[in-house]
Amino acid sequence: MLFLFSITWGTVSGWWVPACVVLGLLYAWLLYRQPVALNKKIRYLLFAIRALVVTIIALVLLSPLVKSVSYNPQKPLVLVLQDNSQSIKMFSASSAEARASNSSKVSPIGGDSEGAGASAFVNDLANLKKELGSDYDVQEFHFNRDIASGLSKDFNGKQTDISKALHALNDRFVNQNIGAIVLATDGLYNQGSDPQYEAKNFKTSIYTIALGDTVAKRDLLIGNVNYNKTAFLGNDFEVEVLAEAYQAKGETMRLSVTEDGRQVATQNIQVTSNDFHKVVPVKLNADKKGVRKFTINIAPVKNELSTQNNSETIYVDVMDARQKILLLYESPHPDISVIRQAIENNKNYEVKASLLADLATVKPGDYNLVILYQLAANTNSTIQNLIKAKVPVWYITGAQTNLQDFNNEQKLLRISAGRAEMQEVFAQPSAEFTGFTLSDSSRQKITSFPPLLAPYGSYSSTSPGETVLKQRIGNVETTYPLLAFGDDGGQRIGVLTGEGIWRWQLAEFQTYGNHHALEELFGQGVQYLTANSNQQRFIVYPAKHVFDEGEDVILNAELYNDALELINTPDVKIELKSSAGKNYSFLFSRNGQSYQLDAGTLPVGEYTYSAATKNGTKQFSAIGQLTVKPLNLESRQSAANHQLLNAIAKQSGGVMLLPSQINQLAGLIRKNDNIKTVVYEDKHYSDIIDVKWVFALMLGLLSLEWFLRKREGEV
């Protein structure tokens, strides 16, 4: 590192320098002009010291700036990024490279072996640091779903997110001298976005090491299962199974569906090609009420690559009838159709939208939930009777809402407004609400949605734990509820304090091409409000029926007293039993007015649960089942994607190599003229009074003058 400094004058004129020198000379002349008993050489030396000290003091009083410049050389960074997912060790030893060497065409195909072959590849990659030597700063990382330091030979990652790994490197080494990136992977990813887009953010060469085999291995698998999560008692319902087969032409694929070990459907599918895909419709019957578990399985064949991807488990909730929802409004508004579409996306719900003026043509008593869009209950005696009958109500406020009537009709939320004005508010998900759970992707989407229009004023709620979405005004997050749910004397109440939901629908479709977040928000809200319509006193339900391996298992519980008021005073115990016979006992935690249990991660398998509690002298129990399924994402693709790796390398000016060509990598990096040491110039300005060595210099000169005078006998 090279360090230089100079003095700049800023707002002070540089012509003061001669004046300071003259002042120093004059002061020294006045002090040493009289004949004294000093040697002539000593007198001249003391004169020079005093003149210099006074000049420096005068300069310090003028407060010039000291400019320091440092030059820091930074060696080029070479970032090595190694794929550590399970798919890397699924390929036969060197098969792809053998085909590449025998091919007449130059084919960008790489291969890796399981066990020793994989370890040898990692060892070759580790040698790059030695081959490049001290002229380069080589840093190594491995990744699957997340990124970590160093190389790894585990190959145990169950998910692969190449884009996230590249993004993490870009964030960590931003504004540093990144010379090259070495990306060793098979090009297969099952999480995140297309890594080509993230690779474009690097202004450097990316060298890809093509692992795996581009020819698919012999494998039968279930690619996807498309089904409705609800069905109605006595009806047939259809499940669509995407059956896939690779390198299995001529085989017969046996597809079966079982329920509790009993086979309920079976089909034989002829595999007609080595790259076979077929959507197979399977018709099932909803002959029993409740949550039913179905296991879909494809019988394995000889020499199959993996059998882990041959089965899937689904749960279907069989209902007696659809929940009927009445949506009332006084005048047309674009929000009406948006709300109706979002709710009816769930086939379990049927929405009747009606003008208040047409209420006489419907039978409100037939409905399980009433949504009042900018309406008050006192506008109609029929609506008042519904509220008295404890039918759940979802209020949506807006510019036409009478806030005084709204405040008088429910106790969940109060809006105090001094004037009839609206303001733009953004949605901010709350972490305190426990009534239901929104997915992380929906929470992120909702945060980015455009603002709704809410009444201007102050808001107060009975409990912060009842708020699903808070209001964010500009960049300021408030405690004001935008969406809240709760229980009011045995009647479930929901309140959305803003209008303009149609903006959310348009924004989500424009950005993501779907309405999943909006549908999930309204679907969960309706499910929460209607959950007590069957008058069950004790309800225990998992956050979802199928959990991924490594995912926390979350269960919720609700207990109602004789007045159908939500309580959580008694303890709730639950026991989970695996299909292997192992028991797990837990005690629910209290959250708000209900219960929640985070059972943590459980081993892969089928589980039944039995929960119990006691309120007074009455005993309550609930049973159910859930599944923790293995993550088979890595085995769903058996052919490496080297086209992706070649595209990433070309667009960045790099090269794609085979694992056997890693020894050429150091030479390619050295020959790249864009990969070189960069010298960073760092300029720093400070007042001279803050520079310590200036005071050390003055103190040293004055001490030297005092010492010489004393030695010569002068005071």
Side-chain angles (χ1 to χ4, degrees):
M1 182 179 71
L2 181 63
F3 181 81
L4 302 173
F5 74 91
S6 61
I7 295 178
T8 61
W9 294 97
T11 58
V12 180
S13 174
W15 288 104
W16 282 100
V17 176
C20 294
V21 174
V22 171
L23 179 63
L25 293 172
L26 180 61
Y27 188 93
W29 177 78
L30 291 174
L31 185 62
Y32 291 106
R33 75 182 187 281
Q34 296 294 336
V36 290
L38 286 173
N39 183 281
K40 189 174 182 180
K41 291 183 179 180
I42 294 297
R43 175 191 276 186
Y44 288 157
L45 178 59
L46 294 174
F47 174 88
I49 293 173
R50 179 55 62 100
L52 181 58
V53 170
V54 173
T55 300
I56 293 174
I57 293 174
L59 290 173
V60 169
L61 293 176
L62 289 175
S63 297
L65 298 176
V66 176
K67 172 185 167 184
S68 57
V69 182
S70 60
Y71 297 93
N72 302 300
Q74 187 179 86
K75 293 184 289 187
L77 282 166
V78 177
L79 306 178
V80 180
L81 193 58
Q82 172 228 331
D83 191 340
N84 192 47
S85 60
Q86 290 179 342
S87 64
I88 299 299
K89 62 179 181 182
M90 289 175 58
F91 304 98
S92 59
S94 305
S95 58
E97 290 199 52
R99 280 192 300 275
S101 61
N102 294 330
S103 175
S104 59
K105 297 181 180 179
V106 179
S107 176
I109 299 176
D112 195 16
S113 62
E114 193 171 342
S119 299
F121 149 70
V122 176
N123 292 337
D124 291 343
L125 200 59
N127 287 334
L128 179 63
K129 181 181 290 188
K130 298 178 182 178
E131 293 172 2
L132 289 175
S134 60
D135 293 334
Y136 299 85
D137 183 5
V138 180
Q139 299 198 29
E140 300 165 332
F141 303 89
H142 68 272
F143 72 96
N144 37 73
R145 184 177 62 180
D146 299 302
I147 189 171
S149 297
L151 301 179
S152 175
K153 300 178 182 179
D154 296 335
F155 303 106
N156 57 2
K158 297 180 181 297
Q159 295 169 294
T160 307
D161 193 339
I162 302 175
S163 179
K164 184 178 180 181
L166 291 172
H167 183 76
L169 287 185
N170 200 13
D171 282 348
R172 186 178 300 189
F173 298 100
V174 63
N175 296 328
Q176 297 191 41
N177 182 24
I178 301 177
I181 294 174
V182 179
L183 175 61
T185 178
D186 54 13
L188 299 179
Y189 62 96
N190 42 55
Q191 297 288 315
S193 58
D194 189 336
Q196 288 188 77
Y197 298 110
E198 190 62 42
K200 290 179 181 178
N201 294 328
F202 289 93
K203 308 302 180 185
T204 188
S205 299
I206 300 179
Y207 296 89
T208 55
I209 310 298
L211 307 179
D213 194 342
T214 56
V215 176
K217 298 296 185 293
R218 182 180 177 85
D219 195 21
L220 275 58
L221 60 97
I222 297 175
N224 186 43
V225 180
N226 186 28
Y227 67 102
N228 288 327
K229 294 180 175 59
T230 57
F232 300 104
L233 188 63
N235 291 349
D236 289 337
F237 62 95
E238 196 172 83
V239 175
E240 293 182 343
V241 180
L242 175 59
E244 300 180 4
Y246 300 96
Q247 304 302 314
K249 183 178 179 180
E251 292 283 353
T252 299
M253 184 185 299
R254 181 175 174 81
L255 176 70
S256 62
V257 181
T258 59
E259 180 188 11
D260 298 328
R262 177 176 60 93
Q263 185 170 287
V264 294
T266 182
Q267 285 194 38
N268 290 329
I269 305 151
Q270 193 67 30
V271 180
T272 57
S273 68
N274 284 327
D275 187 8
F276 181 77
H277 305 266
K278 184 176 182 179
V279 175
V280 182
V282 180
K283 185 175 289 188
L284 303 174
N285 183 259
D287 56 359
K288 290 190 298 183
K289 182 182 175 182
V291 178
R292 299 176 58 189
K293 184 186 76 172
F294 297 93
T295 301
I296 305 168
N297 184 69
I298 294 177
V301 295
K302 188 178 180 181
N303 298 325
E304 189 172 350
L305 175 67
S306 171
T307 58
Q308 292 182 349
N309 50 20
N310 286 38
S311 64
E312 284 287 340
T313 299
I314 64 172
Y315 286 84
V316 178
D317 192 2
V318 178
M319 313 289 293
D320 272 338
R322 290 187 178 186
Q323 298 276 7
K324 292 186 177 182
I325 300 161
L326 179 60
L327 173 57
L328 289 175
Y329 56 97
E330 192 164 20
S331 58
H333 193 284
D335 282 355
I336 302 299
S337 62
V338 171
I339 295 170
R340 180 174 182 172
Q341 292 171 21
I343 296 174
E344 286 191 332
N345 176 68
N346 187 329
K347 303 302 181 183
N348 190 35
Y349 302 129
E350 178 182 346
V351 180
K352 170 66 176 178
S354 174
L355 282 164
L356 184 62
D358 299 332
L359 186 59
T361 63
V362 300
K363 296 179 180 180
D366 295 339
Y367 293 92
N368 307 99
L369 169 67
V370 177
I371 300 177
L372 300 179
Y373 187 81
Q374 302 195 42
L375 284 178
N378 65 3
T379 57
N380 188 282
S381 59
T382 304
I383 304 177
Q384 289 180 327
N385 293 334
L386 280 173
I387 294 178
K388 291 178 182 178
K390 302 295 186 181
V391 174
V393 181
W394 191 341
Y395 295 90
I396 300 178
T397 67
Q400 306 303 318
T401 302
N402 187 318
L403 295 181
Q404 184 175 354
D405 291 340
F406 168 77
N407 291 333
N408 293 334
E409 289 170 9
Q410 48 78 44
K411 298 178 182 178
L412 179 67
L413 179 65
R414 183 175 182 83
I415 304 176
S416 300
R419 55 186 185 273
E421 291 185 7
M422 305 293 286
Q423 66 178 350
E424 290 188 341
V425 297
F426 295 87
Q428 184 66 42
S430 171
E432 300 171 346
F433 184 75
T434 58
F436 55 81
T437 305
L438 292 174
S439 64
D440 290 340
S441 62
S442 292
R443 291 167 66 91
Q444 293 174 1
K445 287 181 182 180
I446 290 171
T447 304
S448 65
F449 281 170
L452 301 182
L453 294 176
Y456 178 84
S458 61
Y459 294 68
S460 59
S461 60
T462 55
S463 170
E466 295 170 337
T467 301
V468 183
L469 304 176
K470 297 178 182 178
Q471 294 184 15
R472 177 167 53 86
I473 303 173
N475 293 323
V476 179
E477 182 180 334
T478 71
T479 59
Y480 293 168
L482 178 60
L483 177 61
F485 293 97
D487 191 275
D488 186 1
Q491 180 187 29
R492 290 202 164 180
I493 300 292
V495 178
L496 176 63
T497 61
E499 62 172 284
I501 297 297
W502 61 272
R503 296 187 180 94
W504 286 12
Q505 186 192 53
L506 291 177
E508 184 176 14
F509 189 81
Q510 183 179 11
T511 306
Y512 304 101
N514 57 58
H515 305 127
H516 293 170
L518 194 62
E519 291 166 354
E520 181 180 356
L521 180 65
F522 275 90
Q524 291 277 44
V526 170
Q527 181 178 348
Y528 174 86
L529 291 171
T530 59
N532 197 33
S533 60
N534 56 9
Q535 305 298 310
Q536 284 183 260
R537 298 280 300 279
F538 182 49
I539 307 169
V540 178
Y541 54 96
K544 53 185 180 180
H545 288 288
V546 181
F547 294 89
D548 289 327
E549 181 183 3
E551 183 180 8
D552 287 347
V553 175
I554 307 294
L555 295 103
N556 301 286
E558 297 176 0
L559 177 64
Y560 295 86
N561 60 17
D562 293 337
L564 295 180
E565 295 173 329
L566 194 62
I567 60 173
N568 65 356
T569 306
D571 288 339
V572 174
K573 297 179 181 179
I574 188 170
E575 183 172 285
L576 283 86
K577 185 176 182 179
S578 70
S579 55
K582 188 171 183 179
N583 294 328
Y584 301 85
S585 298
F586 299 95
L587 185 67
F588 274 88
S589 300
R590 294 172 176 84
N591 265 323
Q593 293 178 295
S594 57
Y595 302 86
Q596 190 174 73
L597 169 66
D598 184 350
T601 58
L602 296 176
V604 171
E606 308 288 339
Y607 292 84
T608 58
Y609 61 81
S610 175
T613 188
K614 181 179 180 182
N615 186 24
T617 60
K618 295 183 178 180
Q619 301 278 352
F620 298 94
S621 62
I623 59 174
Q625 56 186 344
L626 58 90
T627 300
V628 179
K629 69 171 186 177
L631 275 177
N632 297 325
L633 297 176
E634 289 297 307
S635 59
R636 289 193 183 277
Q637 298 168 289
S638 60
N641 187 356
H642 291 171
Q643 290 183 343
L644 172 67
L645 301 181
N646 198 32
I648 290 176
K650 282 187 175 181
Q651 76 179 15
S652 67
V655 179
M656 188 180 78
L657 302 173
L658 305 178
S660 60
Q661 297 172 319
I662 292 179
N663 58 350
Q664 302 175 18
L665 189 56
L668 291 173
I669 292 175
R670 288 195 185 96
K671 292 176 182 177
N672 192 331
D673 294 334
N674 295 322
I675 304 175
K676 54 189 175 183
T677 299
V678 175
V679 178
Y680 292 95
E681 181 184 73
D682 183 21
K683 296 180 181 179
H684 180 71
Y685 293 88
S686 59
D687 290 328
I688 195 170
I689 198 171
D690 295 326
V691 181
K692 296 180 180 179
W693 63 265
V694 174
F695 286 91
L697 176 62
M698 289 190 296
L699 182 61
L701 291 173
L702 290 173
S703 300
L704 177 61
E705 182 188 12
W706 176 83
F707 173 76
L708 292 175
R709 288 174 61 91
K710 283 293 185 181
R711 193 186 69 173
E712 297 298 323
E714 289 291 324
V715 178

